Amino acid sequence: MDLVNDMLNWVATPGMIASLLLFYPPYYLFKICYSFLSYLFPEDLAGKVVLITGASSGIGENLAYQYATKGASLVLVARRELSLRQVADRALEIGAPDVIILSGDVANPDDCNRFVQATVDHYGRLDHLVCNAGIASVAAFQEIPDVTNYSSQLDVNFWGAVQSTSAALPHLKRTRGRIVVTASATGWNPVPRMIFYNAANAALINFFETLRTELGSEVGITIVTPGWIESEMSKGKFLKEHGGVEVDQEYRDAQIGLFPVEYAKNCARAMVQAARQGDRYLTVPAWFRTMYLWRVFAPEVVEFCYRLVYMHSPGANQTDVPSKTMAEGGAKQLLYPSSLRSSDPCALDNF
């Protein structure tokens, strides 16, 4: 066994590189042709049934509107029923033939089973499951007094999507439907001070990549890895060290820094288009993908830059970091949507 591994250590790397150089050009040409045909002939969503979790605001709310304009019937799930009713009314106005709302928590397996069963009972089918519910957190690991306060991060972001998928999968197989999962670019490009959020999204990406391999063509899977998007998170809503959720714009500014924030409607439009085309992956905004190259080929440089921008000196406040100084130096006016610029948390949204 040692001899075999020693031989592969010498042979496998050049062999793999040579085979990739031979294989990739025709493969890439095939992908371009296939993508072009998918763009010309996307899935018709009229009459389809779409279940969206985390649909009360941000990306989820705008996904509801995008699917509505395509003629899909909707099932909207979130914890805040009043916000869901407002989204449902708007979706009906712009083209959804029918919308039902279900108040529930994806961290609760019984709720996941309930809203999937309610969908099938009402419509008799399920075509798209959009796993969009999630919460964010900000804190350096060594400054967290009790790491168990962050267990809800995995309960919602990871297990919520897994439990929803488990309940919906038999119905999606019958319609040869699709799962659209909202992860994050931090799943492959981890950012300091969001350690549990990064970990939850990395787990989410790996889970659905594995599930895609297991399912083959039975059910399509589109994995979305957004950057900073106009949402409750980019408005400053975070899970904090004590285990509660608060709106903290200073933490928000320290974390976003000089990153431009994309409009939620643009992200949702791209997500629905990617789902209709059967895309395997989508990153919004698209330029975030270039950061993956830096992460692969120069990880030390990326880590150094992140430490320089995001980490504070010992004993200093967690928001006393260069990224926050950059944001407050005028970057917010240029890089943030107008909905994020209010200094009054109560004016941002009914959290």
Side-chain angles (χ1 to χ4, degrees), residues 44-263:
D44 183 6
L45 294 175
K48 298 291 180 70
V49 176
V50 180
L51 191 160
I52 306 172
T53 67
S56 60
S57 64
I59 296 174
E61 175 186 354
N62 282 274
L63 282 168
Y65 301 152
Q66 290 298 320
Y67 273 108
T69 61
K70 302 297 187 293
S73 295
L74 304 176
V75 181
L76 306 180
V77 176
R79 289 177 294 182
R80 295 169 298 180
E81 186 172 346
L82 178 59
S83 298
L84 283 178
R85 290 190 184 281
Q86 295 171 346
V87 176
D89 290 343
R90 174 62 177 155
L92 288 167
E93 290 176 1
I94 61 179
D98 189 18
V99 181
I100 62 174
I101 63 171
L102 298 169
S103 177
D105 185 354
V106 295
N108 185 336
D110 292 335
D111 278 4
C112 294
N113 291 324
R114 176 176 58 83
F115 60 65
V116 170
Q117 190 58 50
T119 300
V120 177
D121 289 345
H122 185 83
Y123 291 114
R125 62 183 294 157
L126 175 61
D127 297 283
H128 281 205
L129 169 67
V130 184
C131 299
N132 177 73
I135 55 177
S137 59
V138 175
F141 181 74
Q142 59 189 349
E143 296 178 358
I144 298 173
D146 184 358
V147 295
T148 60
N149 287 336
Y150 286 83
S151 60
S152 59
Q153 183 91 85
L154 286 167
D155 291 340
V156 175
N157 294 32
F158 177 70
W159 286 112
V162 172
Q163 289 158 177
S164 301
T165 298
S166 178
L169 197 55
H171 308 290
L172 292 170
K173 283 184 176 180
R174 281 195 283 272
T175 59
R176 299 187 73 81
R178 175 163 294 274
I179 301 169
V180 181
V181 55
T182 305
S184 170
T186 63
W188 47 258
N189 184 31
V191 178
R193 305 179 345 135
M194 301 188 77
I195 193 165
F196 291 107
Y197 183 72
N198 300 342
N201 282 294
L204 198 63
I205 293 169
N206 278 274
F207 173 84
F208 281 100
E209 287 181 332
T210 306
L211 183 62
R212 181 196 286 139
T213 303
E214 294 180 359
L215 293 175
S217 60
E218 287 186 279
V219 176
I221 296 179
T222 299
I223 300 173
V224 185
T225 53
W228 285 103
I229 307 295
E230 179 187 23
S231 64
E232 290 188 347
M233 180 172 69
S234 57
K235 291 175 181 177
K237 187 176 181 179
F238 296 115
L239 180 67
K240 301 294 284 292
E241 297 95 327
H242 52 73
V245 176
E246 295 179 358
V247 177
D248 192 321
Q249 293 183 326
E250 289 194 354
Y251 269 78
R252 184 273 311 274
D253 292 343
Q255 205 61 32
I256 296 180
L258 289 177
F259 281 102
V261 180
E262 180 64 271
Y263 286 100

